[in-house]
């Protein structure tokens, strides 16, 4: 395996190109954060919403995740082979058209289908943005550029809930999807004018079997994870068949790639701690973070009674911290090393998760805001150095597949987080609300079971029962808070496992970096520039 050769060429318009890439990233991430705020509205009966059930709401999220995660790796390979700019433009166009169609869905089924198409567009966009970045920035500027790129995710997280809340207060639910269209239009024009195309100059023979195995394995695995979360039972035969089948297919993919003379993904990269430990860190932090963010919306809106817009504003510290600290993470890493920074970040994520165990129905809001800020700050010091570690472990010509591996593990980790932690939450909530629901006179078993699925289902039943149902409101909120406490402790434990993985295997600060700091007054960047000359 040849040693990584990272380009030292600097594109004269690289910072403007980064802005275009962030705009492309913004629209993909923006949509998911908007949808989280809109879930409660979409669950309401027509004409306010679509009357989506809890399961249909989950599939509105998961259909995107399933397609996105299943095709990310293939999309990265496609960009390396045919050109990243072409893939970016195609992905944005698909995403924009599907967003408009989703906004005019006539029922939950149509919304789920169009969300899947949006997942296809997102899969084409996400790995290509990072691959283009690696090709236009020289090595010494890449950590800073990736930090800004990661901060763009924070910007999207911040804008999404607030934009969604504003739209839902003045327009119908479909506006949260239509807002993507003008952003996509601007991004397409800017990309066509500014972004250069790049590809692997020697991609080798196409590996159709490897691509097919990767898609089938990832789709089956993610579907099994989602199904297990919906059933709150990962031992169900359907779950074991799909998730287990997906793992088996992925094992076959690994074996095929190891013995292929022209592999789609060189498995020897995983022998590098800088690559494999960083990938594991990203998967674990997103497991913890996505699972907890999923129930945070319901805590803020259903338990505390805030509107969609207010929920977006209350989650602002989570995003603001990422916007503030992610672009500056490279300076902290230069000082202390990626191992120390990522380990500390993981511990802070765990601490933030653990803090949710002290929240109740009347906790002062500033406590929630501090917890969000701590978690956002921690994530801002994990994602950039972990992403830099992954991307700089691979040759520049393989940037698309490297970015795809990064994003695939992030998506699978996030899907696992929503499914596993969501099933923990659902199971604990159902146990807590069983007694109050059982005391409702004349309630059929089917209605009792459906009302126990979630706090929204219970509160919906309480509304339909009128004054008689008000006795369910207090127990529903108390049961949700208790279930949330159980769930966040599980999330914190996963984050601590991530901290251990990073502390044991992520490489520390290179001795050469420490030596440069001691002898160079201008810092590492100055010497890198001098060496380039």
């Amino acid at each position: 395996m040849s040693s990584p050769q990272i380009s030292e060429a600097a594109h004269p318009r690289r910072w403007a190109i980064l802005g275009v890439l962030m705009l492309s990233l913004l629209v993909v991430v923006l949509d998911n954060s908007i949808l989280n705020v809109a879930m409660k509205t979409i669950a309401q009966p027509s004409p306010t919403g679509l009357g989506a059930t809890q399961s249909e709401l989950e599939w509105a999220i998961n259909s995107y995740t399933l397609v996105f995660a299943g095709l990310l790796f293939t999309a990265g390979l496609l960009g390396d082979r045919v050109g990243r700019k072409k893939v970016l433009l195609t992905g944005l166009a698909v995403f924009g058209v599907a967003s408009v169609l989703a906004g005019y869905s006539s029922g939950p089924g149509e919304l789920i289908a169009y969300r899947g198409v949006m997942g296809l567009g997102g899969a084409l966009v996400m790995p290509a943005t990072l691959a283009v970045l690696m090709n236009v920035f020289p090595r010494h500027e890449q950590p800073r550029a990736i930090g800004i790129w990661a901060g763009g995710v924070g910007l999207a997280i911040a804008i999404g809930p607030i934009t969604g809340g504003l739209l839902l207060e003045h327009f119908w639910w479909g506006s949260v999807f239509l807002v993507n269209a003008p952003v996509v239009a601007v991004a397409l024009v800017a990309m066509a004018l500014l972004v250069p195309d790049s590809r692997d100059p020697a991609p080798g023979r196409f590996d159709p079997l490897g691509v097919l195995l990767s898609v089938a394995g990832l789709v089956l695995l993610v579907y099994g994870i989602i199904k297990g979360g919906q059933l709150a039972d990962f031992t169900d035969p359907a779950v074991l068949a799909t998730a287990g089948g997906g793992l088996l297919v992925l094992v076959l993919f690994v074996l095929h790639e190891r013995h292929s003379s022209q592999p789609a993904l060189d498995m020897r990269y995983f022998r590098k701690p800088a690559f494999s430990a960083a990938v594991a860190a990203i998967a674990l932090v997103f497991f913890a973070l996505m699972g907890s963010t999923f129930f945070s919306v319901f805590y803020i809106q259903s338990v505390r009674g805030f509107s969609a817009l207010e929920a977006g504003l209350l989650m602002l510290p989570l995003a603001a911290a990422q916007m503030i600290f992610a672009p500056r993470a490279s300076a902290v890493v230069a000082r202390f090393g990626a191992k120390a920074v990522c380990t500390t970040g993981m511990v802070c994520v765990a601490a933030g998760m653990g803090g949710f165990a002290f929240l109740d129905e009347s906790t002062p809001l500033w406590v929630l805001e501090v917890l969000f800020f701590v978690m956002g700050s921690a994530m801002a010091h994990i994602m950039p150095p972990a992403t830099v570690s992954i991307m700089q472990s691979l040759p520049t010509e393989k940037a698309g597949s490297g970015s795809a591996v990064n994003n695939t593990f992030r998506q699978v980790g996030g899907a696992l987080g929503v499914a596993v932690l969501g099933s923990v939450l659902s199971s604990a909530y159902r146990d807590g609300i069983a007694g109050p629901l059982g005391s409702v006179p004349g309630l059929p078993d089917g209605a009792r079971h459906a009302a126990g699925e979630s706090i929204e289902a219970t509160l919906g039943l309480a509304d339909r029962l009128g004054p008689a149902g008000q006795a369910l409101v207090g127990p529903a909120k108390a049961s949700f808070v208790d279930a949330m406490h159980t769930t966040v402790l599980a999330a914190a434990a996963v984050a601590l496992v991530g901290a251990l993985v990073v502390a044991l295997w992520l490489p520390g600060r290179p001795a050469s970096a420490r030596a440069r700091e001691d002898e160079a007054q201008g810092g590492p960047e100055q010497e890198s520039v001098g060496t380039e000359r």
Side-chain angles (χ1 to χ4, degrees):
M1 180 176 62
S2 61
S3 60
Q5 298 295 321
I6 307 297
S7 174
E8 287 296 327
H11 195 285
R13 295 181 296 180
R14 59 193 180 279
W15 296 107
I17 292 169
L18 178 60
V20 177
L21 297 177
M22 287 179 62
L23 189 61
S24 306
L25 182 70
L26 174 72
V27 72
V28 175
V29 180
L30 178 82
D31 177 74
N32 278 326
S33 56
I34 283 183
L35 183 59
N36 286 335
V37 175
M39 285 191 295
K40 184 176 180 180
T41 303
I42 295 173
Q44 295 177 15
S46 179
T48 303
L50 291 176
T53 65
Q54 181 72 13
S55 176
E56 288 168 337
L57 285 176
E58 290 176 4
W59 271 112
I61 296 172
N62 291 330
S63 62
Y64 181 93
T65 302
L66 185 65
V67 176
F68 189 88
L71 296 180
L72 265 174
F73 179 68
T74 301
L77 294 177
L78 187 65
D80 285 346
R81 182 170 290 273
V82 305
R84 288 124 191 175
K85 180 176 181 177
K86 296 183 183 68
V87 171
L88 262 174
L89 290 170
T90 302
L92 276 174
V94 170
F95 190 91
V97 171
S99 295
V100 173
L101 294 173
Y104 288 103
S105 298
S106 59
E110 281 190 23
L111 177 61
I112 291 168
Y114 292 136
R115 286 281 296 163
V117 180
M118 291 171 69
L120 168 61
L124 294 172
V125 170
M126 185 69 82
T129 60
L130 192 52
V132 170
L133 182 154
M134 297 298 292
N135 276 270
V136 299
F137 281 91
R139 185 184 183 93
H140 70 274
E141 287 185 346
Q142 287 170 2
R144 183 183 173 204
I146 288 175
I148 296 172
W149 178 86
V153 176
L155 177 64
I157 294 172
I159 294 175
I162 296 170
T163 304
L166 286 170
L167 290 170
L168 291 172
E169 284 198 353
H170 297 93
F171 304 101
W172 92 114
W173 64 266
S175 61
V176 301
F177 296 106
L178 293 183
V179 73
N180 293 332
V183 181
V184 166
V186 172
L188 284 170
V189 173
M191 190 174 298
L193 296 175
L194 290 174
V195 175
D197 205 358
S198 62
R199 70 182 74 190
D200 185 346
R205 189 177 66 249
F206 181 59
D207 180 17
L209 180 58
V211 169
L212 181 62
L213 289 172
S214 71
V215 173
L218 287 169
V219 168
L220 284 171
L221 174 61
V222 174
Y223 179 83
I225 291 168
I226 292 169
K227 193 67 176 176
Q230 289 181 332
L231 298 174
D233 181 9
F234 286 87
T235 62
D236 185 273
V239 176
L240 293 175
T242 50
L247 287 173
L248 178 60
V249 173
L250 290 176
V251 169
L252 294 175
F253 168 73
V254 171
L255 293 174
H256 169 73
E257 295 301 290
R258 289 182 63 183
H259 293 90
S260 174
S261 59
Q262 298 284 343
L265 175 64
D266 195 331
M267 290 296 159
R268 290 175 293 178
Y269 288 126
F270 284 94
R271 298 176 186 173
K272 296 182 174 186
F275 184 85
S276 54
V279 164
I282 287 174
L284 290 170
V285 75
F286 266 84
F287 178 100
L289 211 60
M290 291 296 290
S292 60
T293 303
F294 180 75
F295 63 71
S296 294
V297 173
F298 290 100
Y299 170 74
I300 294 171
Q301 292 187 250
S302 301
V303 175
R304 302 304 296 265
F306 292 102
S307 68
L309 175 58
E310 290 167 336
L313 291 171
L314 286 171
M315 295 182 73
L316 190 58
L318 178 68
Q322 293 181 62
M323 293 170 58
I324 293 168
F325 293 113
R328 295 167 172 80
S330 60
V332 182
V333 173
R335 175 73 174 169
F336 299 104
K339 179 196 286 282
V341 173
C342 286
T343 302
T344 303
M346 282 289 195
V347 171
C348 289
V349 167
M353 299 289 179
F356 273 83
F358 297 96
L359 300 181
D360 57 31
E361 298 170 52
S362 58
T363 301
L365 287 179
W366 67 263
V367 177
L368 179 65
E369 301 301 273
V370 169
L371 291 175
F372 278 146
F373 191 81
V374 168
M375 291 166 58
S377 302
M379 188 176 178
H381 288 89
I382 296 169
M383 292 303 298
T387 303
V388 169
S389 185
I390 292 169
M391 297 305 295
Q392 291 194 344
S393 297
L394 276 66
T396 304
E397 59 269 18
K398 301 297 182 184
S401 57
S403 176
V405 169
N406 172 37
N407 286 290
T408 298
F409 274 82
R410 186 180 70 176
Q411 283 298 122
V412 171
L416 266 171
V418 172
V420 174
L421 297 179
S423 67
V424 171
L425 180 75
S426 176
S427 178
Y429 177 78
R430 187 179 289 280
D431 290 343
I433 200 64
L437 284 174
S439 64
V440 177
L443 188 64
D445 289 341
R448 183 178 292 109
H449 180 83
E453 284 187 356
S454 66
I455 184 173
E456 277 301 307
T458 306
L459 294 177
L461 174 65
D463 286 341
R464 291 193 296 274
L465 292 175
Q470 291 307 301
L472 289 173
V473 174
K477 293 182 178 181
S479 297
F480 182 89
V481 169
D482 290 342
M484 183 179 73
H485 291 167
T486 301
T487 307
V488 294
L489 293 177
V494 171
L496 288 176
V497 171
L500 183 62
V501 168
V502 170
L504 289 176
W505 289 295
L506 193 68
R509 190 172 176 226
S512 58
R514 293 192 296 269
R516 283 198 304 268
E517 184 180 279
D518 292 337
E519 68 185 28
Q521 297 297 321
E525 183 172 319
Q526 181 175 344
E527 179 169 322
S528 296
V529 176
T531 303
E532 183 185 19
R533 291 175 188 153

